Amino acid sequence: YTLQPFSPIRIVLYMKKNSALPSSRLRTTFSPDKIPYADSTEIPLRTQNGLAHSHPQPRALKALELALNIDDKGYNIYLAGSVNLGRKLLLKDFLTPRAKKQPTPPDLVYVANFEDHDSPILIELPAGQGKKLKAQLSKTFARIRKEIPGRFEHDAFIKNRNILIDKFQEERKKLFKQMDQIAGEQGFNLDMDERGGLTLYPLIEGKRLSEEDFEKLDADLRDSLKIKGDQLLQDMSRLMRKLSRTEEAFSDGERELEREVINLVLNLFLTPVAEQFKKSCSNPELDKYFEDLRRNIIENQDSFLPKDILVPSEPPLQGTPVFAGDPPSQPYSADLPVPYEVNLFVDNSKTRGA
């Protein structure tokens, strides 16, 4: 064999002359007519093992499904991830269809606790019933406030109350006459003011001494009269106790008349509401609240009366005599009435599903 020298091959490249790029090719275009959906909500989600997901997070979706199947208290779900990862969208897409199939949660209302005003009672009601309860009781209280004053002006109530007053005044006059006779025998005069307060005034030479005249007497004489007056009050204590019992009987009788009127009004307005919610809700706590509410209204009926027509709950008198010059007693101050407003804490009246 004879070796021949290698001959190199020449390759010549010819470059095509550059041409201008047309403007129509500077961007990509896509015809909207080729999109089969009106908007993004019509785009179906991809599924994997029957679970819909909008992005590749199958393990997260399985964890959510497991969590929802744990029907017990004390369990929570913690969702973590980077910003703009779509955590809220994931939860919304996953929970919304499932929530619509679940029962609607109950309404929550707070009502007054008449035994402990600082601890209101929380009651669960079917969705929508809390709003109805609040509105219904508000109307009922307005009707009760309007009805009660007129009931106290009815002829039957006025007649029965006048019978009690006449009986009490007759018994009081008899007792006062007896006490005045005992006081006169001891040199004192028993006086009753327009409010029924009893006061002993010493008599000097048949003349009743005023408080100013009493202070002008000799100190020894004043002390002597004071001691004698105190002894007289002790001697009349039996009659004063009897007068006090007479006052209590009058007060009890008057309050009983008022309770009868209040019960009639509550039977007319409150009882139908209680029976209505007992049928629609069947909640023992709500039943008890209506019972306590009725009892509290009867005990505090003055809160439903305008101040200018309040019926006195106590007779306008005081059964214990005082000696002239003793300091006056302080007026009684009643507590504020308990509010009857229902606090609608959670309203699910417009909620559908969980």
Side-chain angles (χ1 to χ4, degrees):
Y1 296 97
T2 303
L3 296 175
Q4 297 295 330
F6 178 76
S7 300
I9 298 175
R10 289 186 177 183
I11 299 176
V12 179
L13 298 176
Y14 295 93
M15 300 296 295
K16 186 178 180 180
K17 185 178 181 181
N18 294 334
S19 60
L21 183 67
S23 60
S24 60
R25 298 182 60 186
L26 292 178
R27 62 186 178 89
T28 302
T29 60
F30 187 82
S31 175
D33 297 335
K34 296 181 179 180
I35 301 176
Y37 310 110
D39 54 51
S40 60
T41 59
E42 296 182 0
I43 301 176
L45 300 178
R46 292 177 296 171
T47 60
Q48 180 175 343
N49 298 329
L51 299 176
H53 60 91
S54 56
H55 55 82
Q57 292 286 346
R59 295 181 61 189
L61 296 176
K62 289 181 179 180
L64 286 173
E65 188 71 29
L66 173 63
L68 291 183
N69 288 328
I70 301 177
D71 189 12
D72 202 353
K73 296 180 180 180
Y75 293 90
N76 301 280
I77 299 175
Y78 178 77
L79 180 63
S82 302
V83 179
N84 298 325
L85 189 62
R87 291 169 296 175
K88 292 183 179 179
L89 179 62
L90 170 69
L91 280 180
K92 183 178 179 181
D93 291 343
F94 182 83
L95 296 178
T96 298
R98 290 163 175 78
K100 291 180 179 180
K101 299 179 182 179
Q102 297 297 321
T104 303
D107 292 343
L108 299 178
V109 298
Y110 276 106
V111 297
N113 184 345
F114 302 112
E115 296 180 358
D116 184 1
H117 299 168
D118 294 328
S119 302
I121 300 174
L122 180 64
I123 299 179
E124 291 187 4
L125 298 175
Q129 293 298 317
K131 188 175 183 179
K132 292 181 180 179
L133 176 65
K134 180 180 178 68
Q136 194 71 17
L137 284 182
S138 179
K139 294 179 181 179
T140 300
F141 291 142
R143 293 172 180 173
I144 292 174
R145 287 184 180 276
K146 184 178 180 180
E147 182 71 16
I148 288 179
R151 294 281 179 157
F152 283 115
E153 296 176 358
H154 283 188
D155 294 339
F157 175 80
I158 294 176
K159 180 180 178 181
N160 291 332
R161 186 168 184 269
N162 286 338
I163 292 175
L164 286 177
I165 293 175
D166 293 341
K167 180 180 179 181
F168 167 73
Q169 289 180 344
E170 182 179 354
E171 295 179 359
R172 185 180 63 173
K173 287 179 181 179
K174 292 180 181 179
L175 293 173
F176 178 78
K177 185 177 181 180
Q178 295 179 26
M179 289 189 292
D180 186 46
Q181 182 178 356
I182 295 174
E185 293 173 355
Q186 299 295 327
F188 286 86
N189 174 253
L190 183 63
D191 181 70
M192 179 183 295
D193 59 26
E194 59 183 8
R195 297 183 58 189
L198 302 177
T199 306
L200 282 175
Y201 290 94
L203 297 175
I204 301 296
E205 296 180 357
K207 179 182 177 181
R208 190 179 78 173
L209 295 181
S210 64
E211 295 184 17
E212 295 180 357
D213 294 336
F214 180 79
E215 295 297 331
K216 296 178 182 179
L217 295 177
D218 180 70
D220 293 338
L221 181 57
R222 286 201 310 269
D223 294 340
S224 176
L225 291 174
K226 180 68 175 177
I227 295 174
K228 191 174 181 180
D230 292 340
Q231 182 62 43
L232 179 59
L233 292 178
Q234 294 180 9
D235 295 340
M236 292 193 302
S237 60
R238 180 183 62 82
L239 294 175
M240 288 188 293
R241 287 195 297 271
K242 189 173 182 180
L243 178 60
S244 179
R245 289 193 297 269
T246 303
E247 295 172 1
E248 293 176 0
F250 170 80
S251 179
D252 292 342
E254 187 180 46
R255 298 298 290 184
E256 183 61 31
L257 284 179
E258 295 172 359
R259 281 192 289 268
E260 292 177 1
V261 172
I262 298 296
N263 269 315
L264 290 175
V265 175
L266 296 182
N267 289 339
L268 183 63
F269 296 108
L270 185 62
T271 300
V273 178
E275 293 178 350
Q276 171 189 343
F277 280 92
K278 187 174 183 178
K279 293 179 181 179
S280 61
C281 298
S282 185
N283 189 318
E285 292 182 344
L286 184 60
D287 296 340
K288 184 179 183 303
Y289 169 70
F290 274 112
E291 296 175 0
D292 295 341
L293 175 63
R294 183 187 187 95
R295 187 182 308 109
N296 189 267
I297 292 176
I298 294 175
E299 295 173 354
N300 299 275
Q301 68 262 28
D302 290 350
S303 62
F304 288 85
L305 293 175
K307 294 182 179 180
D308 56 340
I309 60 172
L310 280 178
V311 178
S313 59
E314 298 291 340
L317 51 88
Q318 301 172 0
T320 303
V322 297
F323 189 77
D326 288 347
S329 59
Q330 297 296 325
Y332 172 75
S333 176
D335 294 332
L336 293 176
V338 178
Y340 299 105
E341 185 72 20
V342 174
N343 182 4
L344 181 55
F345 189 64
V346 176
D347 180 16
N348 285 312
S349 59
K350 297 182 179 181
T351 305
R352 298 296 178 267

